[in-house]
Amino acid sequence: MMRDIQQNRLDEWKAMGFHPNNCPVRQVLDHVAAKWTTLILLELEGGPQRFNALGRALPDVSKRMLTQSLRNLERDGLVNREVFGTKPPSVAYGLTDLGASFLAPLHAMISWADEKFPSINAARTKFDME
Amino acid sequence: MMRDIQQNRLDEWKAMGFHPNNCPVRQVLDHVAAKWTTLILLELEGGPQRFNALGRALPDVSKRMLTQSLRNLERDGLVNREVFGTKPPSVAYGLTDLGASFLAPLHAMISWADEKFPSINAARTKFDME
DNA sequence: CAGCATCCGTCCGGATACTG
DNA sequence: CAGTATCCGGACGGATGCTG
């Protein structure tokens, strides 16, 4: 019964091309979700960085995750990857215009978090007491 | 060696109270990450909703996840939970002022995603071709 | 230096069944 | 109606070792 209602709603969404698994917004939010990508973007805000420099700036990101995160960002056109054929080889990562434009809404969220964190913490400890 | 550098940087962060695991901003971003919480907040933007009404509005959220998400939001003071001692019992969820204030930065991200999605998609398909 | 490959534990979240 | 309890697969991500 409720199952049918849900199914109908799902069908509506599919018809609109809005099923959550291919939702444009979700795919962007997943970058925010991705635990490291935002830190990377913020770090690149100061200018392009080499791979290991990024690793040193973000100490608790493993090389594996750093590579993976950078690939995802590169794939979505937020970050560009420039290879220098030197020896040993070096690679620089920098923000694209698209990536840079993402910093505005990101900073908006961060500011909100900064500003409201006392309230959140208060609510949290109160909730946990009961 | 690099390990030492990383450890030093980590220590600095700890001294500043900024270790990623208790970072205020991270904890807020984790709400965005949480896959359902944002949809819930957006749904509540239209006004308070009862539990099952929310479930019907968000068809692909299981009851389990809906409960869990609402608890997290309630814990952080973004959502309030009002119980009516009727029979059968009913519960309404609504945005707090804090929760409502979060919608601004959230909408900023959504707008960005909406606006830039064509570019992202283009970058993505180009990346995948090579 | 800048990765990739592999193994492996953890946790997120779905499905299902049951309760006051 | 509004949840809780349990089971479970699969994805996320850390540690380690190897490569051009």
Side-chain angles (χ1 to χ4, degrees), chain A residues 60-79:
Chain A
D60 47 348
V61 186
S62 66
K63 273 194 297 185
R64 183 178 178 276
M65 279 303 104
L66 186 56
T67 306
Q68 200 167 106
S69 305
L70 285 168
R71 284 293 169 282
N72 287 334
L73 290 170
E74 187 194 359
R75 184 169 112 95
D76 282 8
L78 301 185
V79 156

Side-chain angles (χ1 to χ4, degrees), chain A residues 2 5-7 9-10 13 18-36 38-39 43 52 55-61 63 71 74-78 98-99 101-103 105-106 108-110 112-114 116-117 119-121 123-125 127-128, chain B residues 2 5-7 9-10 13 18-36 38-39 43 52 55-61 63 71 74-78 98-99 101-103 105-106 108-110 112-114 116-117 119-121 123-125 127-128:
Chain A
M2 165 173 163
I5 297 177
Q6 289 194 349
Q7 195 54 53
R9 179 66 81 103
L10 249 183
W13 287 17
F18 253 38
H19 188 279
N21 290 338
N22 68 345
C23 167
V25 175
R26 178 71 289 132
Q27 301 191 15
V28 170
L29 292 188
D30 281 345
H31 277 314
V32 180
K35 188 176 186 182
W36 298 125
T38 61
L39 287 178
E43 185 66 29
N52 278 346
R56 263 170 267 123
L58 277 21
D60 47 348
V61 186
K63 273 194 297 185
R71 284 293 169 282
E74 187 194 359
R75 184 169 112 95
D76 282 8
L78 301 185
L98 186 59
S101 77
F102 179 70
L103 291 173
L106 179 57
M109 297 227 65
I110 293 175
W112 187 90
D114 248 12
K116 305 294 189 184
F117 189 67
S119 310
I120 294 178
N121 235 349
R124 206 175 278 190
T125 53
F127 184 92
D128 290 344
Chain B
M2 165 172 163
I5 297 176
Q6 289 194 348
Q7 195 53 53
R9 178 66 80 104
L10 250 183
W13 286 16
F18 254 39
H19 188 279
N21 291 337
N22 68 345
C23 166
V25 175
R26 178 74 285 132
Q27 301 191 14
V28 171
L29 292 188
D30 281 345
H31 278 314
V32 180
K35 188 177 187 183
W36 297 124
T38 61
L39 287 179
E43 185 66 29
N52 277 347
R56 264 171 268 122
L58 277 21
D60 47 349
V61 186
K63 272 193 297 185
R71 284 293 170 281
E74 188 194 359
R75 184 169 112 96
D76 282 8
L78 300 186
L98 186 60
S101 76
F102 179 71
L103 291 172
L106 180 57
M109 297 227 65
I110 293 175
W112 186 91
D114 248 11
K116 306 295 188 184
F117 190 67
S119 310
I120 294 178
N121 235 349
R124 205 175 279 191
T125 54
F127 184 92
D128 290 345

